[in-house]
Amino acid sequence: MIRKGALLGGTVMWVTPIVQTVGMSRALAQTPSDTCTEQFAASVRASGQGTRRDGQSIALNDPIGGAPRTNPDNATGDNDRIFSLGFKLPGHPPGGFIELEFAERAYSTTGSEVVVIETTIGRDDYPEESAEVFVSQDGISWGSSIGTASSKNADGVTMLSFPQLWIKFVRLVDITPLENFPTPTYDNADGFDVRAVKVACP
């Protein structure tokens, strides 16, 4: 093993630990983790539900005796329940978003990706529902979107890579175009339906 200041072939070799610096390539920096942990979102940091297309409460769409789609906790873990983000309509309170936290950091150096699972699948005649996806390390600074999740993707699954070294939070914001859901035909439409968000390993 070459130690700091060791003599090798008549030349003194100084070995300096590699430390992550601004602008340094990720490949040249030490990473805190070299293994990918597959995990579903563990908890809800914040949420703000929009409305149905007709401006009414999404609670009107809750199944009798079933898990209410107004419950943001439905978007955590691996289950068959959903949280509907809802539309953002002019003149109505802000809504249509959810922020989720993972139990552990997800590192991009391991090839992990953010996976968003939507439930409007197998309905080719139904208009597309979509959500903008953001990621964060602290749940405060979100930066630019890493992509769009769509109900028209195969099995409702959207897989997105992220540029940060690691992340711990994911934010989904409904961007479903209102013009795709004319009234009164789609009065009870309630936007992008989140079934699960997870970190997938390669």
Side-chain angles (χ1 to χ4, degrees):
M1 176 182 294
I2 301 175
R3 300 179 181 275
K4 182 175 181 180
L7 186 65
L8 181 64
T11 304
V12 177
M13 301 294 294
W14 293 94
V15 180
T16 305
I18 298 175
V19 179
Q20 176 78 43
T21 60
V22 176
M24 178 181 288
S25 170
R26 210 178 278 143
L28 297 177
Q30 283 186 333
T31 57
S33 173
D34 59 0
T35 60
C36 179
T37 301
E38 191 152 300
Q39 56 181 319
F40 285 89
S43 61
V44 178
R45 183 185 180 279
S47 66
Q49 195 169 45
T51 68
R52 300 196 323 177
R53 181 63 180 89
D54 60 3
Q56 299 296 310
S57 171
I58 292 177
L60 296 174
N61 291 354
D62 285 342
I64 298 176
R69 59 181 61 204
T70 52
N71 183 0
D73 288 332
N74 289 350
T76 63
D78 181 18
N79 55 67
D80 292 327
R81 301 184 296 272
I82 64 172
F83 174 68
S84 298
L85 295 182
F87 292 95
K88 281 189 174 182
L89 300 179
H92 288 266
F97 81 94
I98 189 170
E99 295 173 4
L100 300 163
E101 181 176 2
F102 296 111
E104 300 180 36
R105 293 178 177 181
Y107 290 90
S108 58
T109 50
T110 63
S112 58
E113 294 182 291
V114 173
V115 178
V116 180
I117 306 173
E118 210 269 357
T119 61
T120 310
I121 57 177
R123 301 172 63 182
D124 294 336
D125 59 337
Y126 197 78
E128 180 182 24
E129 296 174 328
S130 51
E132 204 78 51
V133 184
F134 301 82
V135 294
S136 173
Q137 295 181 341
D138 57 9
I140 299 174
S141 301
W142 294 96
S144 302
S145 163
I146 63 169
T148 301
S150 170
S151 62
K152 291 298 185 180
N153 290 340
D155 298 323
V157 176
T158 300
M159 301 183 69
L160 300 167
S161 57
F162 51 92
Q164 292 90 334
L165 177 62
W166 59 269
I167 61 168
K168 204 166 186 291
F169 299 86
V170 172
R171 188 175 200 258
L172 305 179
V173 180
D174 190 276
I175 56 170
T176 302
L178 294 178
E179 58 269 23
N180 290 356
F181 290 82
T183 58
T185 305
Y186 295 103
D187 274 356
N188 67 344
D190 52 18
F192 193 87
D193 302 314
V194 186
R195 187 178 78 76
V197 176
K198 66 179 291 188
V199 171
C201 299

